[in-house]
Amino acid sequence: MNVDKLNKKNVLNAASLGKDSQSIDFVTLEKPIHCDVVNAIAALKQKAALAGFDLMLVSGFRSFDQQLRIWNDKATGKRQVLDENEEPMDISFVDKSELLFSILRWTALPGASRHHWGSDFDIFDAAAVDDNYTLQLTVKETKKNGPFERFYYWLDQYFQNEASDFFRPYEDFLGGVAAEPWHLSYRPIAEVYDKNLSLSLIVSTIKSSDIVLKEEILENIDEIYARFVKNVKA
């Protein structure tokens, strides 16, 4: 492999892991996203507005270091860890293996988050709540009597009836990541990074990182990769 190809591969590897944001052109649209997503999300926002919704981004690009802080805060009890019913857990009563998989239910492993790519983001309907509302990003908010029930019903109908480059990788629970109907992915960009991301890349990154539960992660990395990284709704 020549030097140029090697350098490009190294850049792609780093970007796939959230370790190189300099090689990606970002645009801030409420939150930073890949520049190639801007027109598509603007069109989706316009369609939502015509239906009476104010589609807003609440989370976009997230670096490896940002994801690592979130992970370590949850593993050390500085942030809440939720159970399968979206209720806070008392992690002092669980072993390390259970804690690991409980965190993974709602939080991506650093280096394996789709938010590293700028192609994925979380959305909600800002018109449904006032400025004092504390957004939770829970399934309860999207269901009957939740503040965003109408918005997510509209979104469901949109994806059923419209051809789109967006898809929801965690629309349903598939045995790994909990259902996240608010998580959108832009396929043309996400596929590039997803195809590049490998188990070996993740392992080497975890080994060299200052991540809590490192031993448990590496012991279970094959299952983590299968259930929580590659296990998405295409």
Side-chain angles (χ1 to χ4, degrees):
M1 182 179 289
N2 65 39
V3 174
D4 287 341
K5 287 185 177 179
L6 179 61
N7 287 338
K8 288 179 180 178
K9 183 64 174 177
N10 287 340
V11 168
L12 183 57
N13 287 348
S16 298
L17 296 162
K19 286 180 165 287
D20 177 20
S21 61
Q22 301 303 313
S23 65
I24 304 175
D25 290 327
F26 288 105
V27 174
T28 298
L29 190 66
E30 293 116 41
K31 298 294 178 180
I33 57 174
H34 195 290
C35 63
D36 290 342
V37 186
V38 173
N39 289 340
I41 190 61
L44 182 60
K45 285 166 71 74
Q46 185 176 30
K47 289 182 179 181
L50 291 174
F53 306 106
D54 183 9
L55 189 158
M56 294 280 287
L57 279 63
V58 68
S59 181
F61 167 76
R62 192 179 304 134
S63 71
F64 177 89
D65 288 339
Q66 289 173 307
Q67 192 70 23
L68 181 63
R69 284 195 295 272
I70 293 170
W71 178 277
N72 285 348
D73 282 351
K74 290 195 173 186
T76 56
K78 294 178 181 178
R79 292 193 188 208
Q80 287 185 340
V81 178
L82 302 183
D83 64 16
E84 66 274 13
N85 297 314
E86 303 180 313
E87 297 295 335
M89 295 176 58
D90 184 348
I91 65 172
S92 62
F93 290 98
V94 301
D95 62 28
K96 290 183 178 181
S97 179
E98 183 180 352
L99 176 58
L100 168 65
F101 286 102
S102 295
I103 296 173
L104 284 166
R105 184 186 295 115
W106 298 102
T107 304
L109 185 70
S113 172
R114 299 179 70 92
H115 283 285
H116 291 333
W117 309 335
S119 61
D120 287 52
F121 41 89
D122 302 327
I123 61 171
F124 76 109
D125 174 25
V129 293
D130 60 33
D131 293 340
N132 296 319
Y133 182 79
T134 301
L135 187 65
Q136 301 294 319
L137 285 184
T138 61
V139 174
K140 294 174 185 176
E141 292 175 307
T142 73
K143 298 299 184 181
K144 187 175 182 180
N145 298 323
F148 308 121
E149 176 188 1
R150 289 183 57 253
F151 174 62
Y152 286 101
Y153 176 79
W154 172 82
L155 199 65
D156 289 343
Q157 298 303 304
Y158 173 82
F159 281 115
Q160 288 177 17
N161 298 316
E162 300 281 344
S164 177
D165 283 325
F166 290 114
F167 71 104
R168 291 185 286 182
Y170 310 120
E171 180 179 0
D172 302 307
F173 176 65
L174 301 175
V177 177
E180 295 185 351
W182 52 81
H183 184 134
L184 295 190
S185 184
Y186 186 64
R187 193 183 305 277
I189 302 300
E191 283 187 344
V192 174
Y193 294 109
D194 182 50
K195 289 177 181 178
N196 185 72
L197 191 64
S198 67
L199 179 58
S200 60
L201 268 180
I202 295 171
V203 168
S204 62
T205 300
I206 293 301
K207 284 182 176 179
S208 63
S209 71
D210 186 23
I211 190 169
V212 180
L213 300 175
K214 181 185 293 189
E215 182 178 344
E216 288 71 27
I217 292 168
L218 294 174
E219 285 178 354
N220 293 278
I221 195 62
D222 289 336
E223 181 180 355
I224 292 170
Y225 187 71
R227 285 180 56 197
F228 296 92
V229 180
K230 291 299 184 178
N231 185 24
V232 301
K233 187 172 182 178

